[in-house]
Amino acid sequence: MFIQQHGFIGTWETTGTTKEIFEGIPAGIPYTQTSNDRLTEQGTEMQLSHRMQTADGEIISKGGGSVSWNKNSGQIEGLFAGFDTGKPYSGKMTLAGIDAESGTERWTYQETSRGKTQNYNIDIKQTDANHRKESITLKTTGNTIPSELHR
């Protein structure tokens, strides 16, 4: 119900330039990212997917996963997998909390790609019905990719 009321569901788009943050994605590549967020028919799980590509159609990253309540851990968690520049990655995201004043979701994310595991912080804030801001920060370096998504 919360997800439906706050408009997280839908297709979102952003543009940007890659930074040195994800293993296997070189910095400096202009891209367009399309993300699809869907609620399952049962309403108990979010299915998320993304596709990052260059203006000439080269796919930089694509993948997907699901987010749901894990009764064993007592947390909201997501599992993801995909390909960055043609090589596989997998990751796990856990909701760390929601800032009561700003409504910002705070997530931790751990990703393994090309034999290397890295940890990230992800912040997501819905600014209005058709816009949201996201930032992904690599914990070891502090490198951040800020995004403004729209639909």
Side-chain angles (χ1 to χ4, degrees):
M1 186 78 139
F2 176 84
I3 292 169
Q4 292 169 319
Q5 288 176 343
H6 290 86
F8 299 122
I9 298 168
T11 300
W12 298 87
E13 189 170 288
T14 189
T15 58
T17 302
T18 59
K19 293 188 177 181
E20 195 172 315
I21 189 166
F22 290 108
E23 195 67 28
I25 298 180
I29 303 171
Y31 67 87
T32 297
Q33 177 176 312
T34 303
S35 301
N36 291 293
D37 303 347
R38 303 277 180 249
L39 191 60
T40 62
E41 202 171 298
Q42 299 83 3
T44 59
E45 187 174 7
M46 287 287 297
Q47 293 178 332
L48 312 176
S49 66
H50 80 277
R51 179 185 186 101
M52 288 175 67
Q53 65 186 49
T54 63
D56 65 1
E58 180 185 350
I59 297 173
I60 301 168
S61 178
K62 66 179 178 177
S66 62
V67 176
S68 62
W69 174 256
N70 181 329
K71 67 180 178 181
N72 295 326
S73 69
Q75 297 179 306
I76 296 174
E77 297 176 342
L79 295 176
F80 299 91
F83 295 90
D84 286 344
T85 59
K87 302 274 184 172
Y89 73 85
S90 62
K92 180 182 176 185
M93 192 165 80
T94 303
L95 181 65
I98 300 174
D99 182 280
E101 285 186 39
S102 70
T104 301
E105 298 175 24
R106 303 201 189 283
W107 297 82
T108 59
Y109 179 62
Q110 184 176 72
E111 181 175 284
T112 301
S113 177
R114 292 170 166 81
K116 186 173 184 179
T117 299
Q118 302 203 79
N119 294 294
Y120 302 87
N121 289 322
I122 300 174
D123 290 346
I124 303 170
K125 178 178 175 48
Q126 187 93 16
T127 55
D128 64 37
N130 293 310
H131 298 87
R132 71 182 187 204
K133 292 182 179 183
E134 296 181 0
S135 66
I136 302 171
T137 303
L138 178 59
K139 288 184 180 182
T140 56
T141 65
N143 287 353
T144 299
I145 298 175
S147 301
E148 293 193 23
L149 296 92
H150 66 276
R151 55 177 163 184

